[in-house]
Amino acid sequence: MQRLAMDLRMLSRELSLYLEHQVRVGFFGSGVGLSLILGFSVAYACYYLSSIAKKPQLVTGGESFSRFLQDHCPVVTETYYPTVWCWESRGQTLLRPFITSKPPVQYRNELIKTADGGQISLDWFDNDNSMRYMDASTRPTILLLPGLTGTSKESYILHMIHLSEELGYRCVVFNNRGVAGENLLTPRTYCCANTEDLETVIHHVHSLYPSASFLAAGVSMGGMLLLNYLGKIGSKTPLMAAATFSVGWNTFACSESLEKPLNWLLFNYYLTTCLQSSVNKHRHMFVKQVDMDHVMKAKSIREFDKRFTSVMFGYRTIDDYYTDASPSRRLTSVGIPVLCLNSVDDVFSPSHAIPIETAKQNPNVALVLTSYGGHIGFLEGIWPRQSTYMDRVFKQFVQAMVEHGHELS
């Protein structure tokens, strides 16, 4: 890092001499302007390299998992260089949906029935053109779980599918009830504490391809749901491994952080309106259970959860629901290898709530904690359109587990 800083200083001096000879007009012609600009650039570069670009913290509960990741998923030990002009948490979070590309994906939709008479929409990317795994019965399958109101159309999901396609894998996206355009057949939606629908999906997918390697990746609330499922079921799952990204570990801490004035203005209120819109489309299904007029007046996620989600799933209070929804309390029971990527500057999941000490108690768990990256941000490069650090972690980890997972047995 010091070597790079020295190189930048030398380069700035050479640029200054060159530009002072080439430009001779106005402010810049005096050389003072150029010196100020180049001096600022060098100072910023030194600050960036010393304070912003850092290696992530790798926390594991066992030496074998740590060695495995260092050998087969080296990105988790490499310096993460956030986008130099956008490394702040809120900037990364807000920018990602707009700046990252949306690779074209052709889905095959499947609707499956649930025990209560409802239906779940699955979007399949079969990857039948895979040259590496031509036999569909053994083609590795990645189950993807989007965030709070997300679907298979989210850019981060499309990127994961594109990367899986490069590896020759098949993907299936689990869309939560009522959010992907399908009809809601019963008065029930979803929450990250209730894992029944996820259990149904995992059983269904595994029954179709029992001989294929089967992994899952969850983002934000999808990751919370996945961790709660794994914490409940332990090792009795057909999944061989899982990855989560930007999960909220403690729902109380997440809610408190998002209710700070600036975070409420930038994120909380918007997400609340998204939740209201998703249930209002099926308003006629809920009128006997909840006061929908009261629900539509909610101004925060906590108010929405108190008036709708906790009532929908039979919790006595909002505190009971938030306690049950927090994945940190089940982390010690996870029975398969799980990699969890979080940024410590994520306003959705404050750093003090990340269960570092709990993770150290489970040899199946690895936390990868970056200093910057925001919530599902992890932008890197000058113009971070095609790939993010999160994408690289996802690709290396799933490939490592498919090809070398037997080393952890």
Side-chain angles (χ1 to χ4, degrees):
M1 186 176 293
Q2 292 177 344
R3 174 78 177 273
L4 183 55
M6 291 176 63
D7 290 343
L8 284 170
R9 292 191 190 98
M10 184 177 298
L11 178 61
S12 70
R13 286 196 296 269
E14 293 175 355
L15 282 171
S16 179
L17 290 172
Y18 172 77
L19 290 172
E20 285 179 28
H21 281 86
Q22 296 297 320
V23 183
R24 296 296 184 186
V25 292
F27 178 68
F28 292 96
S30 67
V32 176
L34 291 172
S35 297
L36 287 173
I37 292 172
L38 291 169
F40 173 80
S41 299
V42 170
Y44 183 84
C46 291
Y47 170 74
Y48 174 86
L49 292 172
S50 63
S51 302
I52 306 301
K54 297 180 180 180
K55 290 184 178 181
Q57 180 184 2
L58 177 60
V59 180
T60 60
E63 184 61 29
S64 61
F65 197 10
S66 178
R67 285 198 307 269
F68 176 86
L69 292 173
Q70 292 174 49
D71 291 341
H72 303 298
C73 189
V75 66
V76 302
T77 62
E78 298 171 356
T79 300
Y80 164 50
Y81 295 92
T83 296
V84 294
W85 51 271
C86 180
W87 44 262
E88 194 273 334
S89 171
R90 297 174 185 85
Q92 286 246 343
T93 304
L94 291 168
L95 191 61
R96 160 132 195 188
F98 300 102
I99 197 171
T100 53
S101 63
K102 288 193 173 185
V105 174
Q106 188 67 40
Y107 288 118
R108 171 178 62 85
N109 183 257
E110 179 186 19
L111 295 174
I112 63 173
K113 297 298 182 182
T114 61
D116 69 332
Q119 63 180 1
I120 300 170
S121 174
L122 301 179
D123 281 325
W124 289 86
F125 175 74
D126 296 301
N127 202 7
D128 288 331
N129 294 324
S130 173
M131 299 302 294
R132 193 168 187 180
Y133 298 95
M134 300 179 70
D135 183 355
S137 66
T138 58
R139 186 176 303 144
T141 303
I142 314 295
L143 173 64
L144 302 176
L145 289 74
L148 184 60
T149 58
T151 68
S152 59
K153 298 178 181 178
E154 306 304 319
S155 64
Y156 55 81
I157 294 293
L158 299 175
H159 276 244
M160 288 181 176
I161 292 176
H162 177 66
L163 295 169
S164 299
E165 180 183 15
E166 292 178 352
L167 295 170
Y169 304 164
R170 167 179 45 233
C171 291
V172 55
V173 184
F174 167 32
N175 298 295
N176 287 302
R177 292 198 201 192
V179 301
E182 79 283 6
N183 292 325
L184 204 61
L185 303 182
T186 59
R188 171 174 169 166
T189 54
Y190 60 93
C191 75
C192 59
N194 188 292
T195 62
E196 293 174 0
D197 282 359
L198 178 56
E199 292 171 25
T200 298
V201 169
I202 289 175
H203 175 76
H204 172 73
V205 173
H206 180 62
S207 68
L208 294 176
Y209 304 104
S211 300
S213 298
F214 190 15
L215 299 86
V219 180
S220 191
M221 195 214 77
M224 296 171 69
L225 176 63
L226 180 57
L227 286 169
N228 280 327
Y229 159 77
L230 293 173
K232 290 178 182 179
I233 203 167
S235 60
K236 298 178 181 179
T237 174
L239 296 173
M240 66 176 294
T244 67
F245 303 94
S246 296
V247 303
W249 290 100
N250 181 297
T251 317
F252 294 99
C254 298
S255 180
E256 182 180 350
S257 177
L258 286 173
E259 286 171 359
K260 293 179 179 178
L262 182 58
N263 295 336
W264 178 86
L265 182 65
L266 292 176
F267 307 113
N268 198 327
Y269 182 70
Y270 170 73
L271 288 173
T272 302
T273 60
C274 290
L275 287 167
Q276 291 169 324
S277 176
S278 69
V279 300
N280 199 42
K281 291 184 293 187
H282 312 284
R283 186 187 185 104
H284 64 284
M285 300 294 293
F286 309 125
V287 290
K288 293 182 180 180
Q289 289 179 280
V290 296
D291 182 348
M292 286 300 296
D293 289 334
H294 194 43
V295 170
M296 297 306 293
K297 293 177 182 177
K299 300 300 181 184
S300 68
I301 296 174
R302 185 196 293 265
E303 288 185 359
F304 178 89
D305 285 337
K306 182 178 182 180
R307 300 173 186 183
F308 184 87
T309 312
S310 60
V311 177
M312 170 70 57
F313 287 92
Y315 289 97
R316 188 173 58 87
T317 66
I318 181 66
D319 286 353
D320 289 344
Y321 167 51
Y322 275 8
T323 299
D324 198 29
S326 300
S328 58
R329 60 193 292 266
R330 297 190 176 95
L331 195 59
T332 56
S333 301
V334 172
I336 62 171
V338 177
L339 182 149
C340 308
L341 175 65
N342 278 84
S343 170
V344 297
D345 73 345
D346 184 353
V347 299
F348 283 72
S349 184
S351 59
H352 66 82
I354 298 176
I356 293 177
E357 295 306 316
T358 304
K360 292 178 180 178
Q361 301 173 27
N362 189 335
N364 295 308
V365 174
L367 302 181
V368 180
L369 308 176
T370 60
S371 297
Y372 297 92
H375 187 72
I376 328 176
F378 302 103
L379 303 176
E380 58 183 357
I382 299 299
W383 188 247
R385 182 162 174 77
Q386 300 302 326
S387 179
T388 68
Y389 180 77
M390 170 177 147
D391 295 336
R392 293 196 292 130
V393 171
F394 167 80
K395 183 178 182 180
Q396 285 192 17
F397 180 70
V398 296
Q399 184 177 17
M401 292 307 309
V402 169
E403 298 181 6
H404 305 285
H406 59 276
E407 297 178 12
L408 291 172
S409 300

